[in-house]
Amino acid sequence: MKKVVVVTLLVFVIGIMAFGSSVKYGGVVNLGGSAPTYVVNNFNPFSPNPDPGVHFVYEPLMYVNPLNGKVTPFLATSYEWSNNGQVLTVTIRQGVKWSDGVPFTPEDVVFTFNLLKKFPALDTNGVWSNLSGLQSVEANGQKVIFKFSHPNIPEYFYILRTLIVPEHIWSKIENPVSFLNSSNPVGTGPFLRETYSVANNTEYFAKNPGYWWKGRPYIDGIRIIGNTSNQAAFLQMIKGETDQNDIAIEMPEKLWVSRDPKTHILFWPVHSDNILYMNDAKEPFKEATFRKAIALAINKRLLEDRAYFGAGGYDISQTQIIPAQKDEWYDPSLAETDKLYNSYNPKKAMELLTSIGYKKNESGILEKDGKALPTFRILVGAGWTDFITMAQIISQELKDIGIQTTIVQQSYNTYLQQLMTGDFDMAIGWPPNTGPTPFYAYYSEFNPSFSAPLGKTAISDYSRYTNSIITEALRTFSSSSDKETQKEAMYKIEKTVLNDLPAIVLTTRTGFDLYNASKFVGWPTISNPYSNGWNGTGLGMLPVVLTLHLR
């Protein structure tokens, strides 16, 4: 582990040296965020849906790039495991101050993690979940020591990415779960939230003059300009009103890159899957055979073609293993079964439905025991044109096998709330977490600690599916640093997922970042993915805004 950190630090330093003295300081970058983007007054970094700019004010210990596992140090300078993977020791950076001038200390880190322990609703990464085995967090000089009840190597990803808050402020907050933190948030990050307007959907972040990294950021400020839909966000890009947006557009090469190939950058790395969540706690979705029939009734290739114009490729797996991780983690013995459920085979779908007692009535609607299926809802975000396109195709294809559906578009807040409380039948979404191995997606989707009964808030097990085999395999994987043991555990999860299909992989999930480099350079690219950019989460934008400078 220590060797990995040293290597990454060298990469980061090389990046700094590459710009040299030619860097031009100044300028304000206009970010569109991840369309649709809404500026909100909730600046609580532990909220499930905070303001999109929290990562410019609050910093993690390190940024772990989910594309390649490389780390960029922020409030920590190194980390190492000891005691057979049961003790993680993190060295905290010196010379850092909070934006109100109070020195940042290792005790702030200890306080932050114990805050998450005291208020589990804030612990959205499950750092203190039963599976993690984290027992204590203590400071020892400039080091912070995390002790586990069992080896838990993958946990470094969640610990290092946790945003750190100041003890001298947050210790006085009576209820940090409902704390909006909207007025002058104090962080260690490179920018200060200077103004914001929910009504105008804009906010401005000014350079933090006391930022610990001398010479950074190069830019003077960041303006986030919100948008209400993919179309509105893309129009902002075309007009030059924004320099970035994480936005799914049609024919991106033609409509974006070809407009100005020298400055229009497409950064769409495959990092996850788009999946169809089914509410596995409800009939008829709780029956695996019914879910498999739905999988067979959906033409995934058509979804990729219509929603993404083939930009994400067609290499999907119902195990949810993404292409970049297949060589290392995919069980090849599952290939044939995987191929079946990736296929479009409505005839086979009907055979499965018949095998569990369904048949079409005179109206062409499926019924069982004389009772017709109701019309099911397919939940998507309002204005998400790629998801809406997929939902329209799925709706028609399910109608062909006798399942009536209606598409429900909701604002992001409502969309997320309905997922978390189980107020949906089917929903198009993505794994809540991803990381350098498939473990992280499985952990977030199937960890019983992240589940909840219908009507209660589930942190990230939206389908409400759990399985003791998966739970035990997650524990085995996280308890060992032996690659073969980890691979064996991963294979068990893949087989179980394929047997039960708790969710259906629809397409790969690429990033959707579009950049306009006419004013600012230093954006990540496919050939230089030093960060995942905004793709999926704004945390990746932290290293980006520290790299950007005027052309």
Side-chain angles (χ1 to χ4, degrees):
M1 283 297 174
K2 201 169 185 178
K3 183 177 180 182
V4 172
V5 174
V6 173
V7 170
T8 305
L9 286 171
L10 288 174
V11 171
F12 201 60
V13 172
I14 290 170
I16 297 169
M17 293 172 64
F19 292 126
S21 60
S22 62
V23 169
K24 295 180 181 178
Y25 281 80
V28 174
V29 174
N30 291 325
L31 301 179
S34 181
T37 301
Y38 299 100
V39 172
V40 297
N41 65 351
N42 184 351
F43 215 80
N44 186 331
F46 308 119
S47 167
N49 189 29
D51 182 87
V54 292
H55 304 100
F56 306 138
V57 175
Y58 294 101
E59 293 180 297
L61 297 172
M62 294 184 173
Y63 169 66
V64 182
N65 189 337
L67 296 176
N68 50 32
K70 292 179 179 178
V71 299
T72 300
F74 281 94
L75 294 177
T77 57
S78 67
Y79 70 92
E80 62 180 334
W81 287 96
S82 60
N83 195 22
N84 193 31
Q86 295 188 71
V87 176
L88 174 67
T89 301
V90 179
T91 301
I92 304 303
R93 185 179 299 279
Q94 299 185 56
V96 178
K97 290 186 177 180
W98 295 101
S99 53
D100 60 359
V102 175
F104 160 76
T105 69
E107 284 70 25
D108 287 309
V109 178
V110 173
F111 168 79
T112 298
F113 282 95
N114 285 326
L115 183 72
L116 304 186
K117 181 180 182 180
K118 185 176 181 180
F119 297 95
L122 303 177
D123 187 15
T124 53
N125 285 324
V127 170
W128 291 97
S129 73
N130 293 333
L131 275 180
S132 84
L134 182 61
Q135 298 293 295
S136 65
V137 182
E138 298 176 348
N140 183 2
Q142 205 58 31
K143 300 181 184 299
V144 172
I145 300 168
F146 300 80
K147 293 184 178 178
F148 294 82
S149 60
H150 56 77
N152 193 352
I153 304 298
E155 194 64 19
Y156 85 102
F157 179 72
Y158 298 109
I159 288 174
L160 295 182
R161 67 188 283 114
T162 297
L163 300 178
I164 307 302
V165 297
E167 179 178 10
H168 66 281
I169 292 177
W170 283 70
S171 61
K172 300 173 184 174
I173 306 302
E174 184 174 347
N175 186 355
V177 176
S178 59
F179 179 43
L180 293 180
N181 194 28
S182 57
S183 179
N184 299 318
V186 173
T188 60
F191 294 93
L192 309 174
R193 195 194 200 199
E194 195 165 273
T195 62
Y196 75 95
S197 170
V198 174
N200 294 325
N201 210 6
T202 61
E203 59 186 328
Y204 181 72
F205 297 84
K207 180 192 290 190
N208 178 0
Y211 190 50
W212 55 266
W213 190 351
K214 302 303 179 188
R216 301 290 181 103
Y218 299 127
I219 57 178
D220 288 339
I222 298 169
R223 182 178 295 106
I224 292 181
I225 303 175
N227 42 71
T228 56
S229 67
N230 285 5
Q231 293 93 334
F234 189 52
L235 189 60
Q236 290 173 340
M237 291 292 292
I238 295 298
K239 290 180 176 179
E241 295 174 353
T242 52
D243 301 296
Q244 171 276 339
N245 208 298
D246 177 31
I247 173 180
I249 60 170
E250 298 179 355
M251 299 180 288
E253 290 283 351
K254 179 180 179 180
L255 295 182
W256 177 245
V257 177
S258 66
R259 287 175 181 269
D260 188 349
K262 292 183 179 178
T263 62
H264 285 193
I265 298 171
L266 187 70
F267 185 50
W268 285 25
V270 173
H271 62 84
S272 184
D273 302 301
N274 288 316
I275 59 181
L276 181 68
Y277 284 110
M278 292 164 286
N279 196 326
D280 298 346
K282 296 171 58 176
E283 295 287 359
F285 303 103
K286 62 170 48 176
E287 192 164 2
T289 302
F290 189 86
R291 301 193 294 264
K292 291 177 180 178
I294 290 180
L296 289 163
I298 297 174
N299 188 338
K300 294 86 175 175
R301 188 178 184 90
L302 182 62
L303 300 182
E304 175 63 40
D305 285 339
R306 295 285 176 81
Y308 303 111
F309 301 89
Y314 305 95
D315 187 11
I316 64 172
S317 168
Q318 294 304 322
T319 64
Q320 302 192 19
I321 307 288
I322 63 174
Q325 296 173 352
K326 271 190 170 179
D327 286 347
E328 193 169 8
W329 297 108
Y330 182 68
D331 181 356
S333 72
L334 303 177
E336 282 302 311
T337 305
D338 202 2
K339 183 179 179 181
L340 170 65
Y341 294 119
N342 281 334
S343 69
Y344 174 51
N345 192 339
K347 180 181 178 182
K348 180 69 174 177
M350 285 305 304
E351 289 176 3
L352 289 181
L353 291 168
T354 301
S355 73
I356 54 175
Y358 287 96
K359 64 178 181 180
K360 287 184 178 179
N361 62 21
E362 293 180 350
S363 300
I365 299 173
L366 284 180
E367 66 175 26
K368 185 176 183 179
D369 299 329
K371 186 176 181 181
L373 288 177
T375 298
F376 296 118
R377 297 166 294 162
I378 302 178
L379 175 66
V380 296
W384 300 356
T385 52
D386 51 341
F387 281 16
I388 294 169
T389 297
M390 288 196 286
Q392 290 169 339
I393 294 170
I394 292 169
S395 182
Q396 180 58 53
E397 290 173 339
L398 293 185
K399 183 180 179 181
D400 292 342
I401 63 168
I403 299 175
Q404 300 286 328
T405 62
T406 183
I407 299 170
V408 178
Q409 298 187 43
Q410 298 286 14
S411 68
Y412 180 72
N413 284 348
T414 304
Y415 166 88
L416 185 61
Q417 182 185 28
Q418 292 188 342
L419 278 180
M420 296 178 78
T421 58
D423 185 16
F424 69 98
D425 299 315
M426 292 178 277
I428 299 179
W430 57 92
N433 268 325
T434 56
T437 74
F439 170 86
Y440 298 95
Y442 291 146
Y443 184 77
S444 61
E445 284 186 69
F446 307 128
N447 182 344
S449 298
F450 298 158
S451 193
L454 290 177
K456 302 292 184 181
T457 299
I459 291 177
S460 55
D461 179 16
Y462 305 141
S463 68
R464 267 70 181 172
Y465 172 87
T466 60
N467 186 300
S468 59
I469 295 174
I470 292 178
T471 304
E472 184 57 32
L474 287 172
R475 194 186 307 278
T476 300
F477 183 97
S478 62
S479 301
S480 175
S481 58
D482 179 72
K483 194 61 173 291
E484 289 306 311
T485 301
Q486 288 187 327
K487 185 174 288 188
E488 184 179 344
M490 198 60 62
Y491 282 11
K492 287 182 180 177
I493 298 175
E494 294 167 23
K495 184 177 181 179
T496 305
V497 168
L498 203 54
N499 281 341
D500 285 355
L501 282 189
I504 299 168
V505 174
L506 301 175
T507 67
T508 62
R509 181 171 178 80
T510 70
F512 297 123
D513 273 15
L514 306 181
Y515 304 132
N516 185 340
S518 61
K519 300 174 185 173
F520 297 93
V521 296
W523 303 99
T525 63
I526 294 296
S527 60
N528 183 23
Y530 68 86
S531 164
N532 195 30
W534 200 298
N535 294 317
T537 170
L539 183 58
M541 283 304 289
L542 178 57
V544 174
V545 297
L546 288 166
T547 306
L548 291 177
H549 61 84
L550 287 169
R551 176 175 284 277

